[in-house]
């Protein structure tokens, strides 16, 4: 591990810095558990599937000049290898895993062998029997793939240092700058991603040319230059409105969010407050009107996109796992740019209720879409073949378009980076997890031991084991839902408000503070403008959104008949809750389902119904499920 | 006009027959008006667009052996020419229009010139530089196109008699039977339509071979033989479950409904009650749980398909105009097979609230999708180019996939066929419109004069002008919503129930009867299982679904803030209503739109709000709109 303070995915100049991967060692718990499964299963799983499907062999075929005939995988399949490489780089950097190092080295050799002399690197375009380079910027995804290559190289550079992967990335980035620079083509890629890749590689290598190229791509966008794709308009790829003029995110959610992340990078590096303010405005508007209770984004299947304001159907929610990851990419950059707790708040919600929902317990199957309502138990997946991407209700081992598993792998491998930030001589704890922090700060090191059963329990104990000689401050994020939180230090307990709770005075060795967050189950009502869940209530517990799953229903009860009474108390149970429910339906009546009288609540016995964390749904088998529960 | 009694699109053996086109002359009114616009504008409009886009020239290019290079239009564009030809044939048959006759003759020449020697006819496959015939049954649409050719020939045959178009169709049908017969390929077409075409041409020409071929296509379906299309499964084209085993319609709505129509044809012609019962069961289940208040079908944009039971979002309703037409094709065949009023009931709903909603007042622009909720006024269409098919909120002159305009043209040109039926010596009036009926029945002719302002007024007066010497009975359909209807004859008025109201005794010349249907505005509540409109109420008036349009809102009021009070009376106004409304919103608050307290109704002044018929929405310009109104 190199200099700990810089082993982070995102490292803008000025402002807080994220936690270096080596600065926080998880001791089990929620995120430690997920990270361990990623280590033990998911990385290898991704590697095996991409080898089996020939997506890695595509590089070998280019290297040996054998590019005629059918090429397996979509045109963007190279990006999956790069995201896995990024994951392997973080994994090796965090744990020193020889397996990860060897797998990465092997992939690096095969990728490097496919690079053209001038730095261009793509297995789908530009070689014998293939379409010309950059001949289809709308759908070709070449710059998108390159962006992921650059992010992989950043991970390598920050964990190990310059090597062959970094050299490959540098040559690829140079080719992009030559081709698309101020004197070159004025094209942009249909799928943003090159922007974040260029900006961060520029930071990591000290190459302002790369940031400038990212800036050009951001500025060119929104002017309708991309060739439209059938049935979709320019908003699908955010080519309808310039980034600095848009008020909300729209179109394909992952595209919109990768673009926004790149825009923050450019804004920070160039001191462009207008551009930064534009992304903050878009975040605000989109969080207010286009975001699910889970933090999920993307209301439509058709274009994997945002819908209009208040268009938030729970059943057809797309909430792609990758959009959750991309949302956190944006929020993290905005947090680093502003230090505002609200960005870390949304990240926590998304971590627990989108990102954690995707992987199966064994780390070998994944949700791609994350709907909040499943009407009927899903059919089984195809275990040995690729699955359609958007089938809800059952985790699949691999997808036709398989962006989510590798995106998850790189996110979980680097989770520590988002747990805290350091700004001068102050540390901010952002995400709570059981573990040991050792942070380079001031004139030495700060060591903290964090002990918690969060999110199941609300107590978070922080022991100060070591401090530098300079005085160090500590503040703790109090989530926006945490009404009634309190903080106890050596002398007293006092109430704290959502936002930040600062420890009084500098940290001292031997000191223990305890944050208590109220994680009793609570009712949450949707804004009355969200048509699709009118007359419903949800239940949350700490950062966890809960759901009702048909696995827990009385015999013969169906999800369409479930009603709950929010005037009755909720009772905590394990990491979920029990609620008073009735199943009062009588099935459909003949004829159209529209009547001349208002619906009457049939009387039925009240039953206790268990609610479980949303992120665990369908773990006990395929089931019907809903987050928003109709009230009696 | 040939024998009036057979000038109908659908003429199964036994049971009731539909009204010959010449047996009912409309005198203005709702349907007379729409038909007149179709005559005056839509037919010519379709012809011009397809000529301009080169879709008709595709036939000329095949004829002169010039099929290399790019071919304009989708692979199924031939079908649009055939649907227009069907419309022209009905139009000429109904009115004797020389323009329609000339246009049809010209198209027939150009189409005939493109037919291969063995009868195969398609401009996209099977010629130099094109893919092989039937090389992509999943997506190629060749048999779909042929099915529409056969329906056009049926229209010609029944209105004029054998001619070149009929000969072309016969040769095309023979080629299909040779290629896909019991001894041939066992393939099916990804888009059903050939089944209804073959069945009806078989009836019209007395060729049981064609019906047998339709039967083979029906029986082969549902066995997973179609190559899957990316991201869609076999249910998309109803290849997941055999027709006689399925319980509900699923997948692409137009495909599901065309298939069901063909299955009824085959069931009736072969006396297969099991198959007929299967389609009746599917109709029942789909009407109960998968149908919009407008009669619209299709809840999803992604696959233009049905959703699950109770999945009926008003905003993302697809409700394709073609699916409305296809639904009426099924309901009409089921009516002819069973004589049950419920099928004509659903047809009326769909006629007024889906089919009539599509065309603009000038007949030169169309809705493709028919959502029940538009959150913000739609952007303008592109007047001189093709438009994406699913843009809601504004009628477009033509579409990239332009199935709806020509489908509408053939439906409006033959509307009379569905207005009444004749079974033995009894006439059943099914759809009420101002006009003169002269029906061949018994040993002579029955002449009725129908006078009504329906649907604006509920009175329908029927005068008997002429009768044959044999006694003739008359029954009138009383719509399912018509609680409180009454029928008055010479001697008395009496209450009648939804279903059928029979005139007592045989019809006599000089007799007048009047049906009174209650068309005061009324509230309609959705079934409590339809999640997407919980807590809302709709307003209907006779067969018309009403809606609130932002054009009628007080200044600064927005659709997201609209609430109505169903305990307050509705007042009829013109063909709409006024309702007591409040606009109580205060805009969005910062942060996620989920709160720890239930939403409170802000107090606001009540205002009278005008509701208009849904089918007229967006006629006064682009607007926000909703059918289901949240209650206070």
């Amino acid at each position: 591990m190199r200099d700990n303070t810089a082993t982070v995915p995102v490292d803008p100049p000025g402002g807080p810095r994220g936690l270096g991967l080596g600065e926080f060692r998880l001791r089990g718990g929620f995120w430690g558990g997920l990270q361990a499964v990623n280590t033990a299963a998911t990385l290898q799983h991704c590697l095996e599937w991409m080898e089996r499907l020939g997506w890695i062999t595509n590089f070998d075929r280019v290297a040996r000049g054998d590019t005629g005939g059918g090429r397996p995988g979509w045109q963007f399949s190279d990006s999956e290898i790069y995201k896995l490489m990024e994951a392997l780089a973080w994994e090796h950097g965090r744990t020193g895993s020889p397996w990860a190092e060897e797998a990465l080295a092997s992939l690096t050799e095969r990728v490097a062998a496919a690079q053209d002399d001038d730095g261009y690197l793509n297995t789908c375009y530009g070689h014998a029997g293939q379409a010309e380079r950059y001949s289809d910027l709308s759908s070709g995804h070449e710059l998108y793939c390159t962006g992921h290559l650059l992010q992989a190289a950043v991970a390598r550079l920050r964990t190990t240092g310059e090597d062959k992967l970094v050299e490959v990335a540098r040559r690829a980035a140079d080719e992009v700058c030559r081709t698309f620079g101020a004197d070159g083509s004025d094209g942009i890629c249909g799928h943003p991603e090159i922007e974040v890749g260029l900006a961060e590689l520029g930071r990591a290598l000290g190459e302002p040319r790369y940031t400038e190229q990212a800036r050009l791509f951001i500025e060119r966008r929104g002017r309708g230059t991309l060739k439209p794709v059938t049935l979709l308009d320019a908003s699908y790829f955010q080519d309808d409105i310039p980034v600095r003029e848009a008020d909300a995110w729209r179109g394909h959610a992952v595209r919109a969010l990768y673009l926004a992340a790149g825009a923050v990078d450019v804004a920070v590096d160039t001191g462009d407050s207008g551009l930064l303010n534009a992304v903050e405005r878009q975040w605000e508007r989109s969080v207010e009107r286009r975001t699910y209770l889970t933090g999920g984004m993307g209301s439509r299947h058709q274009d994997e996109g945002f819908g209009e304001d208040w268009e938030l159907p729970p059943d057809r929610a797309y909430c792609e796992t990758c959009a959750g990851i991309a949302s956190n990419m944006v929020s993290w950059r905005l947090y680093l740019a502003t230090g505002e707790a609200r960005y870390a708040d949304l990240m926590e919600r998304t971590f627990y209720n989108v990102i954690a929902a995707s992987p199966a317990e064994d780390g070998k199957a994944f949700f791609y879409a994350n709907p909040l309502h499943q009407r009927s138990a899903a059919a089984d997946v195809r275990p040995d073949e690729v699955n359609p991407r958007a089938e809800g209700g059952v985790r699949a081992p691999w997808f036709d378009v398989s962006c989510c598993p590798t995106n998850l792998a790189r996110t979980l491998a680097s989770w520590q980076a988002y747990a805290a930030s350091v700004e001068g001589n102050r540390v901010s704890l952002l995400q709570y997890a059981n573990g040991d922090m050792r942070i380079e700060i001031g004139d030495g090191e700060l060591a903290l031991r964090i002990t918690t059963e969060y999110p199941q329990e609300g107590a978070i104990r922080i022991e100060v084991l070591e401090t530098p000689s300079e005085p160090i401050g500590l503040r703790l994020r109090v989530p926006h839902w945490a009404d009634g939180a309190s903080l106890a230090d050596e002398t007293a307990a006092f109430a704290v408000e959502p936002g930040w709770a600062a420890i009084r005075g500098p940290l001292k060795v031997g000191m223990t503070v305890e944050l208590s967050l109220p994680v009793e189950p609570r009712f949450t009502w949707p804004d009355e403008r969200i048509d699709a869940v009118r007359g419903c209530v949800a239940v949350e517990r700490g950062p966890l959104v809960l759901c009702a799953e048909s696995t827990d229903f009385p015999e013969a009860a169906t999800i369409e008949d479930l009603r709950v009474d929010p005037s009755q108390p909720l009772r905590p149970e394990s990491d979920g809750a029990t609620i008073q429910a009735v199943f009062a339906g009588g099935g459909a009546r003949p004829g159209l389902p529209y009547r001349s009288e208002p619906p009457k609540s049939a009387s039925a016995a009240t039953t206790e119904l268990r609610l479980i964390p949303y992120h665990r749904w369908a773990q006990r088998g395929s089931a019907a499920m809903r987050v928003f529960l109709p009230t009696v």
Side-chain angles (χ1 to χ4, degrees), chain A:
Chain A
M1 177 80 60
R2 305 178 68 231
D3 172 16
N4 253 332
T5 63
T7 57
V8 292
V10 190
D11 191 21
R17 69 168 178 88
L19 214 56
L21 290 200
E23 293 184 316
F24 189 20
R25 193 160 302 275
L26 295 174
R27 292 194 320 276
F30 192 98
W31 292 104
L34 281 172
Q35 198 167 58
V37 170
N38 193 51
T39 297
T42 305
L43 296 170
Q44 175 80 34
H45 175 88
C46 292
L47 190 63
E48 284 174 4
W49 268 93
M50 294 198 287
E51 196 71 271
R52 181 182 147 198
L53 293 173
W55 296 4
I56 308 179
T57 313
N58 285 335
F59 290 93
D60 308 336
R61 293 170 69 230
V62 170
R64 63 173 186 260
D66 173 26
T67 48
R71 173 188 168 281
W74 283 88
Q75 68 270 37
F76 39 77
S77 65
D78 292 359
S79 69
E80 307 311 335
I81 286 89
Y82 301 146
K83 278 189 283 181
L84 177 60
M85 291 171 79
E86 181 185 342
L88 291 167
W90 294 129
E91 184 70 15
H92 171 254
R94 204 186 77 248
T95 68
S97 157
W99 175 84
E101 175 68 7
E102 196 177 313
L104 177 58
S106 166
L107 288 173
T108 299
E109 288 301 324
R110 294 168 77 179
V111 165
Q115 190 165 35
D116 293 349
D117 289 342
D118 66 351
Y120 178 85
L121 177 50
N122 190 282
T123 71
C124 191
Y125 290 89
H127 307 100
Q130 299 181 330
E132 292 294 305
R133 285 182 188 182
Y134 306 123
S135 54
D136 181 9
L137 287 172
S138 288
S139 302
H141 287 75
E142 288 153 282
L143 292 167
Y144 165 82
C145 289
T146 302
H148 279 301
L149 171 68
L150 307 192
Q151 287 191 308
V154 166
R156 189 63 175 163
L157 194 52
R158 294 220 174 112
T159 53
T160 305
E162 298 246 9
D163 78 342
K164 191 163 191 172
L165 175 57
V166 176
E167 186 52 30
V168 166
R170 190 196 293 267
R171 292 176 57 213
D174 288 344
E175 189 275 327
V176 170
C177 291
R178 280 197 307 276
T179 306
F180 293 95
D183 302 327
S185 155
D186 63 353
I188 55 173
C189 184
H191 198 315
E193 160 65 24
I194 185 68
E195 300 81 2
V196 285
L198 280 168
E200 205 62 37
L201 189 67
R203 290 167 176 170
L205 289 173
E207 279 281 16
R209 287 187 302 127
Y210 296 165
T211 307
E212 171 59 14
Q213 183 62 50
R215 191 189 67 78
L216 286 174
F217 283 134
I218 298 284
E219 293 296 351
R220 285 174 189 162
R221 205 168 196 97
R223 297 167 205 286
T225 61
L226 287 169
K227 182 171 62 73
V229 174
T230 303
L231 304 181
L232 299 170
D233 65 18
S235 69
Y236 172 68
F237 21 55
Q238 298 76 46
D239 197 26
D240 54 337
I241 306 173
V243 177
R244 64 178 71 241
E245 294 172 21
D247 284 326
W249 293 322
R250 67 229 170 272
H252 189 273
V254 177
R255 289 170 206 242
L257 293 162
Y258 281 3
L259 177 65
V264 178
D265 288 337
V266 166
V268 169
D269 283 20
T270 62
D272 185 340
S273 61
L275 184 58
L276 181 63
N277 292 345
V279 181
E280 289 182 274
R281 180 175 74 233
Q282 291 156 24
W283 186 96
E284 283 169 11
R285 172 82 175 214
S286 305
V287 167
E288 273 175 25
R289 298 161 185 244
R290 300 184 179 193
T291 301
Y292 285 93
L293 182 62
T294 54
M297 294 186 182
S299 304
R300 296 180 177 181
H301 279 238
Q302 191 185 26
D303 60 353
E304 307 190 291
F306 285 96
E308 294 189 290
D309 286 351
W310 316 117
E311 181 188 327
L312 293 161
D315 49 352
R316 296 293 285 169
Y318 202 67
C319 293
E320 185 181 336
T321 301
C322 284
I325 291 169
S327 165
N328 274 11
M329 286 168 57
V330 180
S331 290
W332 182 239
R333 283 160 174 79
L334 288 173
Y335 173 74
L336 293 179
T338 65
E340 291 178 19
R342 59 180 180 166
Y343 298 117
D345 266 356
L346 184 65
M347 288 180 72
E348 175 176 63
R349 184 173 288 277
T350 306
F351 269 134
Y352 279 105
N353 303 294
V354 180
I355 294 171
S358 178
E361 288 177 284
D362 69 359
K364 295 182 180 180
F366 312 88
F367 277 144
Y368 189 116
N370 294 283
L372 283 73
H373 182 183
Q374 177 85 20
R375 284 198 175 76
S376 48
D380 278 346
V381 294
R382 310 173 197 161
D384 296 317
E385 41 182 323
V386 297
N387 282 264
R389 63 189 173 195
E391 287 305 307
V394 63
R395 294 174 179 87
W398 206 251
F399 302 93
D400 181 31
V401 173
S402 212
C403 45
C404 299
T406 56
N407 222 347
L408 198 68
R410 66 176 185 149
T411 303
L412 290 176
S414 58
W415 186 84
Q416 278 82 348
Y418 312 104
S421 67
V422 179
E423 42 276 327
N425 279 355
R426 187 183 63 192
V427 173
S428 302
L429 294 192
L430 304 171
Q431 307 298 337
Y432 299 110
N434 217 37
D436 296 295
M437 282 192 186
R438 173 167 290 274
I439 299 173
E440 298 180 33
I441 190 168
D443 56 354
E445 293 197 340
L446 172 71
L448 303 177
R449 162 160 283 224
I450 300 166
T451 306
T452 183
E453 299 291 319
Y454 190 78
Q456 191 163 335
E457 303 293 335
I460 298 138
R461 198 178 65 195
I462 300 148
E463 298 168 78
V464 182
L465 305 182
E466 195 177 323
T467 62
S469 53
E470 290 181 12
I472 301 299
L474 178 68
R475 61 176 187 171
L476 310 174
R477 181 181 63 88
V478 181
H480 68 101
W481 46 261
D483 285 326
S486 66
L487 183 65
D489 63 12
E490 314 280 67
T491 55
F494 48 96
V496 291
E497 295 290 311
W500 296 110
I503 307 301
R504 291 176 295 187
L507 295 179
K508 295 193 185 71
V509 172
M511 191 174 161
T512 295
V513 295
E514 185 164 318
L515 178 66
S516 291
L517 299 176
V519 294
E520 298 79 34
R522 64 188 187 275
F523 286 109
T524 299
W525 280 266
D527 190 286
E528 58 272 36
R529 296 168 193 82
I530 307 176
D531 296 285
V533 291
R534 182 171 285 112
C536 292
V537 70
V539 179
E540 296 185 276
R541 186 173 180 195
L544 301 175
V545 173
L546 306 187
C547 68
E549 201 178 33
S550 57
T551 313
D552 297 310
F553 289 179
E555 206 176 342
T558 64
I559 198 153
E560 67 202 35
D561 296 329
L562 170 61
R563 298 291 179 276
V564 300
D565 181 354
S567 71
Q568 297 297 312
L570 290 162
R571 209 180 61 216
E573 180 183 317
S574 173
D575 55 356
T578 55
I579 191 170
Q580 302 302 313
V582 294
F583 291 90
R589 285 167 289 176
L592 283 165
Y594 310 99
R595 329 269 176 220
S596 56
E597 297 293 332
K600 281 186 205 76
S601 304
S603 61
T606 297
T607 180
E608 287 220 322
L609 177 66
R610 179 182 174 195
L611 303 179
I612 63 163
Y614 171 77
H615 68 80
R616 291 207 274 109
W617 89 274
Q619 280 189 358
R620 295 173 292 168
S622 183
M625 178 277 298
R626 60 188 304 167
V627 165
F628 284 101
L629 311 171
T631 57
V632 289

